[in-house]
Structure formats: structure tokens, C-alpha cells
Amino acid sequence: MANQQVSDPQESLGQAMSKTELFLENNGRKFSYIILAVLAIAAVIYGYRALISQPRAEKAAEMIAEAQLRFEAENPDFELALTGDANGAGFLNVIEQYGSTPSGNLAKHYAGICYLRKGDWANAAKYLAQYSAVKGLAGALINAQNLGLQGDVAVEQGNYAAAVKFYEKAVKAADNNMTAPTYLRKAGLAERAAGNAPAATAYFERIIREYPASMEAQEAEKLLGKNK
């Protein structure tokens, strides 16, 4: 048999290292460009957050606080809360200037409520629909309220089928003893207004069955009596 040459492990390792060095030498400039590009992107993201995004969010929070004062006043002026004046911004100002911020998103919800209180169903539906659902426990309650208010607008417009769908979504958004029974009751009332007594009965019975400790349970029993 012919003698087989057995490669020296140290020699093989040296060859591999030489190939690596050669590869890096030939492609080092490309890697440098890639690394610089990654660092540049990271710097832009950080700079955007630090110099643009965060200051915008802070300014939006200041503006919406001014509008909320008008909205939550003992005798609220919903028109002033919407449009603002020389003494403070309104929800529409926040939306126009900082609509993409968290405060801008919340301002859309508030604007919808203001229009609802003013009886402007079209604008109420428009702004409530522009609100984007947010995460967290507090967010879930606002998400549910938003959907419930859209249901209220649909009721005012005589669209009971749409109202029921919104109320169902509101229940799912925040399924608890405080809010869910309220939206189920509204769904039942919408079904009753539409002349669908069996569906209304099912909603009232669901409140009693699933949320017996809620304040709405007693009201549901009364509504069942009226529904017969």
C-alpha cells in the first residue's frame, strides 16, 4: 500500500487561520461598511427617540392634559375641550399636531366622546373608530369603553345590529364584573329595540348566569320580567 501522508493538526490549523486572515483582508472593508451602517441605524433610532419621539410625546401629554381639564370640569364645555382656545389646547389640536403619539391616540377617543355628547353622531363614530387599542389593564378598560361608545353611536343612528356587535367586542375587551355586564345589558336593550325579544332575553339571562354578583344582575331580572 502507498504511504498516506497524515496532515499535521498544527499545520491544518495554521492553514485555516491563514485562509481566515486572507478572507478578512479581502472583505474587511465590506465588513467595516456593514458595521458602520448598523451603528448608524442604531444612532438614528436612538437619536429619533431621544430628540424627536420623546419630546413629541411629552408635548402631546402636556396638550392633552389641558383639554382633559375642560372635559372633566364640573360643567364641561365639550366644544372648548375639542377645539381649545388661547388658554389651552383642545383634543383636535393634539390629534392634528401629535396624532401618532400615545396622547394623540387617546385624544381621538376623547374627541369621539365630545362629539357624542354634542349629538354629532357622524363625527363621534369617525373619531372613536380612529382610536387604536392599547395593551395593559388600564388600556383594556379604555378599549372596552371605546367599543361600547361606538355601540352607543350605532344605537343613536338606529343601527342595532352594529351596536350589538360593538357591545360584544367590548365584553371581550374587558371581561370583568364591572364593565362586561353593562355592555351585555346594552346589547340586550339593542336587541329589544330591534324587536328581537329572544335575543334580548338571552343577553339578560347571560348577565344573571355569568355575573350574578354584579349590579347589573338585579337590573337584568327586572328587564327579563318586562321582556316576557
Side-chain angles (χ1 to χ4, degrees):
M1 294 179 63
N3 291 334
Q4 294 182 347
Q5 294 182 347
V6 180
S7 60
D8 185 347
Q10 293 296 330
E11 183 181 353
S12 298
L13 180 59
Q15 291 174 349
M17 291 178 66
S18 297
K19 290 179 182 179
T20 301
E21 290 169 357
L22 181 62
F23 178 80
L24 290 174
E25 182 179 340
N26 293 335
N27 298 276
R29 183 170 296 180
K30 293 181 182 179
F31 284 131
S32 296
Y33 288 152
I34 292 172
I35 293 171
L36 288 173
V38 171
L39 291 175
I41 292 172
V44 169
I45 293 173
Y46 176 80
Y48 176 81
R49 289 177 178 172
L51 301 178
I52 300 176
S53 180
Q54 185 174 347
R56 279 174 56 84
E58 291 175 355
K59 181 59 180 177
E62 292 175 6
M63 290 178 66
I64 197 173
E66 296 168 352
Q68 286 174 315
L69 286 175
R70 277 84 179 272
F71 180 88
E72 296 170 356
E74 186 175 350
N75 296 307
D77 186 331
F78 296 116
E79 180 62 29
L80 187 60
L82 273 170
T83 60
D85 61 11
N87 296 317
F91 294 122
L92 296 181
N93 302 127
V94 182
I95 295 169
E96 181 180 0
Q97 297 181 45
Y98 303 103
S100 61
T101 66
S103 293
N105 183 44
L106 186 59
K108 296 168 186 175
H109 175 70
Y110 274 111
I113 298 175
C114 288
Y115 280 118
L116 178 60
R117 297 292 182 266
K118 285 163 54 67
D120 186 341
W121 315 130
N123 273 317
K126 171 185 173 181
Y127 283 96
L128 288 170
Q130 288 179 8
Y131 168 80
S132 298
V134 296
K135 297 179 180 179
L137 179 59
L141 294 175
I142 297 175
N143 298 341
Q145 183 189 47
N146 181 270
L147 291 164
L149 289 170
Q150 290 191 67
D152 293 346
V153 172
V155 167
E156 294 291 350
Q157 294 175 323
N159 192 344
Y160 301 115
V164 169
K165 290 181 180 179
F166 279 123
Y167 294 139
E168 283 279 12
K169 290 179 180 179
V171 171
K172 292 179 181 178
D175 191 353
N176 57 69
N177 279 314
M178 183 174 66
T179 62
T182 298
Y183 298 126
L184 288 174
R185 178 177 62 82
K186 288 188 174 185
L189 292 174
E191 290 286 16
R192 191 169 72 177
N196 194 349
T201 296
Y203 277 115
F204 301 145
E205 290 177 340
R206 182 177 168 188
I207 295 172
I208 297 170
R209 182 176 65 256
E210 297 182 13
Y211 309 94
S214 69
M215 295 180 63
E216 300 290 344
Q218 292 182 353
E219 181 66 20
E221 291 178 354
K222 296 178 182 178
L223 290 169
L224 277 174
K226 295 179 181 179
N227 220 42
K228 294 179 180 179

